[in-house]
Short mmCIF file of all heavy atoms in Angstrom, two decimals:
data_model
loop_
_atom_site.label_atom_id
_atom_site.label_comp_id
_atom_site.label_asym_id
_atom_site.label_seq_id
_atom_site.Cartn_x
_atom_site.Cartn_y
_atom_site.Cartn_z
N MET G 40 122.88 -177.79 67.48
CA MET G 40 123.53 -179.03 67.03
C MET G 40 122.71 -180.28 67.38
O MET G 40 122.61 -181.18 66.57
CB MET G 40 124.92 -179.14 67.69
CG MET G 40 125.91 -178.14 67.20
SD MET G 40 126.27 -178.36 65.44
CE MET G 40 127.08 -179.98 65.48
N ARG G 41 122.14 -180.30 68.56
CA ARG G 41 121.50 -181.55 69.01
C ARG G 41 119.98 -181.46 69.17
O ARG G 41 119.33 -182.45 69.55
CB ARG G 41 122.14 -181.99 70.33
CG ARG G 41 123.59 -182.48 70.18
CD ARG G 41 124.05 -183.22 71.43
NE ARG G 41 124.12 -182.33 72.56
CZ ARG G 41 125.19 -181.65 72.92
NH1 ARG G 41 126.30 -181.76 72.20
NH2 ARG G 41 125.19 -180.86 73.96
N GLY G 42 119.42 -180.28 68.90
CA GLY G 42 117.97 -180.16 68.99
C GLY G 42 117.51 -180.21 70.43
O GLY G 42 118.20 -179.76 71.35
N LEU G 43 116.34 -180.79 70.64
CA LEU G 43 115.71 -180.86 71.95
C LEU G 43 116.10 -182.19 72.63
O LEU G 43 115.77 -183.25 72.12
CB LEU G 43 114.19 -180.76 71.76
CG LEU G 43 113.30 -180.26 72.89
CD1 LEU G 43 113.75 -178.90 73.35
CD2 LEU G 43 111.87 -180.19 72.40
N GLU G 44 116.77 -182.09 73.75
CA GLU G 44 117.21 -183.30 74.48
C GLU G 44 116.55 -183.35 75.85
O GLU G 44 116.61 -182.36 76.59
CB GLU G 44 118.72 -183.25 74.71
CG GLU G 44 119.58 -183.13 73.48
CD GLU G 44 121.03 -182.94 73.92
OE1 GLU G 44 121.42 -181.81 74.22
OE2 GLU G 44 121.80 -183.92 73.95
N LEU G 45 116.01 -184.48 76.20
CA LEU G 45 115.46 -184.67 77.53
C LEU G 45 116.61 -184.93 78.52
O LEU G 45 117.41 -185.82 78.30
CB LEU G 45 114.48 -185.84 77.58
CG LEU G 45 113.91 -186.20 78.94
CD1 LEU G 45 113.02 -185.07 79.45
CD2 LEU G 45 113.12 -187.51 78.87
N LEU G 46 116.65 -184.14 79.58
CA LEU G 46 117.70 -184.30 80.58
C LEU G 46 117.25 -185.21 81.71
O LEU G 46 117.92 -186.17 82.10
CB LEU G 46 118.11 -182.95 81.16
CG LEU G 46 118.63 -181.92 80.15
CD1 LEU G 46 118.92 -180.60 80.85
CD2 LEU G 46 119.86 -182.43 79.42
N ILE G 47 116.06 -184.93 82.25
CA ILE G 47 115.55 -185.66 83.41
C ILE G 47 114.06 -185.41 83.52
O ILE G 47 113.57 -184.37 83.06
CB ILE G 47 116.25 -185.19 84.72
CG1 ILE G 47 115.85 -186.01 85.93
CG2 ILE G 47 116.01 -183.69 84.97
CD1 ILE G 47 116.68 -185.72 87.19
N TYR G 48 113.31 -186.36 84.10
CA TYR G 48 111.94 -186.06 84.43
C TYR G 48 111.57 -186.64 85.79
O TYR G 48 112.15 -187.61 86.26
CB TYR G 48 110.97 -186.47 83.33
CG TYR G 48 110.55 -187.92 83.27
CD1 TYR G 48 109.44 -188.39 83.98
CD2 TYR G 48 111.23 -188.82 82.45
CE1 TYR G 48 109.05 -189.71 83.86
CE2 TYR G 48 110.83 -190.13 82.33
CZ TYR G 48 109.75 -190.57 83.05
OH TYR G 48 109.34 -191.90 82.93
N PHE G 49 110.59 -185.95 86.41
CA PHE G 49 110.10 -186.30 87.74
C PHE G 49 108.64 -186.73 87.67
O PHE G 49 107.88 -186.21 86.82
CB PHE G 49 110.18 -185.07 88.66
CG PHE G 49 111.57 -184.58 88.97
CD1 PHE G 49 112.23 -183.75 88.08
CD2 PHE G 49 112.19 -184.93 90.15
CE1 PHE G 49 113.50 -183.28 88.36
CE2 PHE G 49 113.47 -184.45 90.44
CZ PHE G 49 114.13 -183.62 89.53
N ASN G 50 108.27 -187.62 88.54
CA ASN G 50 106.87 -187.96 88.78
C ASN G 50 106.60 -187.82 90.27
O ASN G 50 107.27 -188.46 91.07
CB ASN G 50 106.57 -189.38 88.29
CG ASN G 50 105.14 -189.82 88.61
OD1 ASN G 50 104.90 -190.96 88.96
ND2 ASN G 50 104.19 -188.89 88.47
N ASN G 51 105.60 -186.99 90.59
CA ASN G 51 105.29 -186.75 92.01
C ASN G 51 106.55 -186.42 92.81
O ASN G 51 106.78 -186.97 93.90
CB ASN G 51 104.58 -187.97 92.61
CG ASN G 51 103.18 -188.15 92.03
OD1 ASN G 51 102.49 -187.16 91.76
ND2 ASN G 51 102.79 -189.37 91.82
N ASN G 52 107.35 -185.54 92.23
CA ASN G 52 108.57 -184.99 92.87
C ASN G 52 109.74 -185.95 92.91
O ASN G 52 110.81 -185.60 93.43
CB ASN G 52 108.29 -184.47 94.29
CG ASN G 52 107.02 -183.65 94.41
OD1 ASN G 52 106.56 -183.10 93.42
ND2 ASN G 52 106.45 -183.61 95.57
N VAL G 53 109.59 -187.16 92.38
CA VAL G 53 110.64 -188.15 92.43
C VAL G 53 111.29 -188.27 91.07
O VAL G 53 110.60 -188.41 90.06
CB VAL G 53 110.08 -189.54 92.85
CG1 VAL G 53 111.17 -190.60 92.82
CG2 VAL G 53 109.45 -189.46 94.24
N PRO G 54 112.64 -188.19 91.00
CA PRO G 54 113.28 -188.34 89.69
C PRO G 54 113.10 -189.77 89.16
O PRO G 54 113.38 -190.72 89.87
CB PRO G 54 114.77 -188.03 89.99
CG PRO G 54 114.94 -188.25 91.43
CD PRO G 54 113.63 -187.97 92.08
N ILE G 55 112.61 -189.89 87.93
CA ILE G 55 112.33 -191.19 87.35
C ILE G 55 113.41 -191.62 86.36
O ILE G 55 113.84 -192.76 86.36
CB ILE G 55 110.95 -191.18 86.64
CG1 ILE G 55 109.86 -190.78 87.61
CG2 ILE G 55 110.67 -192.53 86.00
CD1 ILE G 55 109.71 -191.70 88.80
N ASP G 56 113.83 -190.71 85.51
CA ASP G 56 114.81 -191.02 84.50
C ASP G 56 115.77 -189.84 84.35
O ASP G 56 115.37 -188.79 83.87
CB ASP G 56 114.12 -191.33 83.15
CG ASP G 56 115.11 -191.75 82.08
OD1 ASP G 56 116.34 -191.75 82.32
OD2 ASP G 56 114.66 -192.07 80.96
N ASP G 57 116.99 -190.04 84.77
CA ASP G 57 118.00 -188.97 84.64
C ASP G 57 119.10 -189.37 83.65
O ASP G 57 120.19 -188.82 83.67
CB ASP G 57 118.60 -188.61 85.99
CG ASP G 57 119.40 -189.75 86.60
OD1 ASP G 57 119.38 -190.86 86.02
OD2 ASP G 57 120.01 -189.56 87.66
N SER G 58 118.79 -190.32 82.77
CA SER G 58 119.79 -190.81 81.85
C SER G 58 120.27 -189.76 80.86
O SER G 58 121.33 -189.91 80.26
CB SER G 58 119.28 -192.04 81.10
OG SER G 58 118.10 -191.72 80.38
N GLY G 59 119.50 -188.71 80.71
CA GLY G 59 119.88 -187.66 79.78
C GLY G 59 120.76 -186.57 80.39
O GLY G 59 121.26 -185.71 79.68
N MET G 60 120.97 -186.63 81.68
CA MET G 60 121.82 -185.64 82.33
C MET G 60 123.25 -185.85 81.86
O MET G 60 123.80 -186.94 82.02
CB MET G 60 121.74 -185.78 83.86
CG MET G 60 120.35 -185.47 84.40
SD MET G 60 119.98 -183.72 84.39
CE MET G 60 120.37 -183.34 86.11
N PRO G 61 123.86 -184.81 81.28
CA PRO G 61 125.13 -185.01 80.60
C PRO G 61 126.29 -185.46 81.50
O PRO G 61 127.07 -186.29 81.08
CB PRO G 61 125.44 -183.65 79.96
CG PRO G 61 124.44 -182.69 80.50
CD PRO G 61 123.35 -183.43 81.14
N GLU G 62 126.37 -184.97 82.67
CA GLU G 62 127.45 -185.35 83.55
C GLU G 62 127.17 -184.88 84.96
O GLU G 62 126.15 -184.24 85.22
CB GLU G 62 128.80 -184.78 83.05
CG GLU G 62 128.74 -183.34 82.60
CD GLU G 62 129.94 -182.93 81.78
OE1 GLU G 62 130.98 -182.62 82.38
OE2 GLU G 62 129.83 -182.91 80.54
N ASP G 63 128.10 -185.24 85.85
CA ASP G 63 127.87 -184.97 87.28
C ASP G 63 127.77 -183.48 87.60
O ASP G 63 127.32 -183.12 88.68
CB ASP G 63 128.99 -185.60 88.12
CG ASP G 63 128.92 -187.10 88.10
OD1 ASP G 63 127.87 -187.63 87.66
OD2 ASP G 63 129.90 -187.76 88.50
N ARG G 64 128.17 -182.66 86.68
CA ARG G 64 128.06 -181.21 86.97
C ARG G 64 126.61 -180.75 86.99
O ARG G 64 126.29 -179.68 87.48
CB ARG G 64 128.83 -180.42 85.91
CG ARG G 64 130.33 -180.67 85.89
CD ARG G 64 131.04 -179.78 84.87
NE ARG G 64 130.60 -180.03 83.50
CZ ARG G 64 129.79 -179.21 82.81
NH1 ARG G 64 129.35 -178.08 83.35
NH2 ARG G 64 129.46 -179.50 81.58
N PHE G 65 125.73 -181.59 86.40
CA PHE G 65 124.32 -181.26 86.34
C PHE G 65 123.57 -182.00 87.44
O PHE G 65 123.77 -183.19 87.66
CB PHE G 65 123.72 -181.68 84.99
CG PHE G 65 124.11 -180.81 83.84
CD1 PHE G 65 125.41 -180.76 83.37
CD2 PHE G 65 123.14 -180.04 83.20
CE1 PHE G 65 125.77 -179.95 82.29
CE2 PHE G 65 123.48 -179.23 82.11
CZ PHE G 65 124.79 -179.19 81.66
N SER G 66 122.66 -181.28 88.12
CA SER G 66 121.81 -181.89 89.12
C SER G 66 120.45 -181.23 89.09
O SER G 66 120.31 -180.06 88.75
CB SER G 66 122.42 -181.82 90.51
OG SER G 66 122.55 -180.48 90.91
N ALA G 67 119.42 -181.99 89.39
CA ALA G 67 118.07 -181.45 89.41
C ALA G 67 117.37 -181.94 90.67
O ALA G 67 117.57 -183.05 91.11
CB ALA G 67 117.27 -181.86 88.18
N LYS G 68 116.51 -181.04 91.19
CA LYS G 68 115.74 -181.39 92.38
C LYS G 68 114.31 -180.92 92.20
O LYS G 68 114.02 -180.00 91.45
CB LYS G 68 116.35 -180.71 93.62
CG LYS G 68 117.71 -181.23 94.02
CD LYS G 68 118.23 -180.57 95.27
CE LYS G 68 119.60 -181.08 95.66
NZ LYS G 68 120.14 -180.41 96.85
N MET G 69 113.43 -181.55 92.94
CA MET G 69 112.04 -181.12 93.00
C MET G 69 111.57 -181.26 94.42
O MET G 69 111.03 -182.30 94.82
CB MET G 69 111.18 -181.94 92.03
CG MET G 69 109.82 -181.34 91.81
SD MET G 69 108.99 -182.03 90.37
CE MET G 69 107.53 -180.99 90.34
N PRO G 70 111.81 -180.25 95.23
CA PRO G 70 111.49 -180.33 96.65
C PRO G 70 110.00 -180.39 96.97
O PRO G 70 109.61 -180.89 98.03
CB PRO G 70 112.13 -179.05 97.24
CG PRO G 70 112.26 -178.13 96.07
CD PRO G 70 112.45 -178.98 94.87
N ASN G 71 109.18 -179.86 96.04
CA ASN G 71 107.73 -179.97 96.23
C ASN G 71 107.05 -179.93 94.86
O ASN G 71 107.72 -179.76 93.84
CB ASN G 71 107.21 -178.84 97.13
CG ASN G 71 107.56 -177.46 96.61
OD1 ASN G 71 107.08 -177.08 95.53
ND2 ASN G 71 108.37 -176.73 97.35
N ALA G 72 105.75 -180.09 94.88
CA ALA G 72 105.00 -180.25 93.62
C ALA G 72 104.97 -178.99 92.75
O ALA G 72 104.57 -179.03 91.60
CB ALA G 72 103.58 -180.67 93.92
N SER G 73 105.38 -177.85 93.32
CA SER G 73 105.26 -176.60 92.55
C SER G 73 106.62 -175.99 92.24
O SER G 73 106.68 -174.82 91.82
CB SER G 73 104.39 -175.61 93.31
OG SER G 73 104.93 -175.34 94.59
N PHE G 74 107.71 -176.72 92.42
CA PHE G 74 109.00 -176.09 92.20
C PHE G 74 110.08 -177.10 91.90
O PHE G 74 110.17 -178.15 92.53
CB PHE G 74 109.40 -175.31 93.49
CG PHE G 74 110.67 -174.53 93.36
CD1 PHE G 74 110.81 -173.49 92.49
CD2 PHE G 74 111.78 -174.89 94.15
CE1 PHE G 74 111.98 -172.77 92.37
CE2 PHE G 74 112.98 -174.17 94.04
CZ PHE G 74 113.07 -173.11 93.16
N SER G 75 110.88 -176.78 90.89
CA SER G 75 112.02 -177.61 90.55
C SER G 75 113.21 -176.75 90.16
O SER G 75 113.02 -175.63 89.68
CB SER G 75 111.68 -178.56 89.40
OG SER G 75 112.80 -179.33 89.00
#
Side-chain angles (χ1 to χ4, degrees):
Chain G
M40 291 296 294
R41 291 193 295 269
L43 204 55
E44 303 173 277
L45 176 66
L46 301 177
I47 186 172
Y48 81 90
F49 294 82
N50 176 218
N51 291 324
N52 316 336
V53 176
I55 302 300
D56 183 357
D57 65 354
S58 58
M60 295 286 262
E62 45 195 279
D63 291 346
R64 297 184 297 107
F65 286 68
S66 63
K68 293 182 180 178
M69 193 164 185
N71 58 63
S73 59
F74 184 65
S75 177

